[in-house]
Amino acid sequence: GTALALGLTRELNVLSLGDEIATGLGSRVTWQRAQLVIIAVALAGSAVATAGTIGFVGLIAPHIARQLVGGNYRQILPVAALIGGILVTIADTIGRTIFAPIELPCGVVIAAIGAPFFLYLLIQNRHRQC
């Protein structure tokens, strides 16, 4: 799934321009969107089956990656995967050590990190629109 997603980064870049522009550039928007949804569902399903529900990682990592490397999906996808792994490792370490001998689930720690991050994004986007 990861290889397929990385192979479709050019199409992601075109789709990010909007449906009309992508169609004007010769992109088959509906077909490519369907391919990308299937790949995303397969990747999310395999991640949840392997690691459990750690939802905020999939929401936080791409936003951080976009701020670090810009809008090119060829760079965003691998950086987001790396950041996601780092976030899970840090959250697991915090969950195991901060309240020892009680272990907090990794998802709880990531949610505690993710909620303030999303508030920051909301505030930042509100200022951009005004």
Side-chain angles (χ1 to χ4, degrees):
T2 304
L4 290 173
L6 289 173
L8 293 174
T9 55
R10 180 173 288 151
E11 287 78 8
L12 276 169
N13 286 330
V14 171
L15 288 174
S16 71
L17 298 173
D19 289 354
E20 291 179 8
I21 294 174
T23 302
L25 292 172
S27 179
R28 298 185 316 178
V29 173
T30 306
W31 170 247
Q32 289 176 347
R33 191 170 283 139
Q35 283 180 318
L36 292 166
V37 166
I38 291 169
I39 292 169
V41 168
L43 287 171
S46 63
V48 169
T50 303
T53 55
I54 310 173
F56 269 109
V57 173
L59 298 172
I60 297 171
H63 287 290
I64 295 172
R66 183 181 302 271
Q67 289 180 350
L68 290 176
V69 298
N72 187 350
Y73 284 99
R74 189 173 303 252
Q75 296 170 343
I76 290 175
L77 288 178
V79 171
L82 183 64
I83 290 171
I86 291 169
L87 283 173
V88 170
T89 303
I90 290 170
D92 187 49
T93 303
I94 290 171
R96 291 175 185 261
T97 58
I98 201 162
F99 294 113
I102 300 169
E103 291 186 15
L104 288 176
C106 184
V108 172
V109 177
I110 289 178
I113 296 169
F117 181 74
F118 274 116
L119 288 175
Y120 163 75
L121 286 177
L122 285 172
I123 292 169
Q124 185 181 17
N125 286 337
R126 180 175 289 170
H127 291 294
R128 284 184 186 169
Q129 293 175 355
C130 294

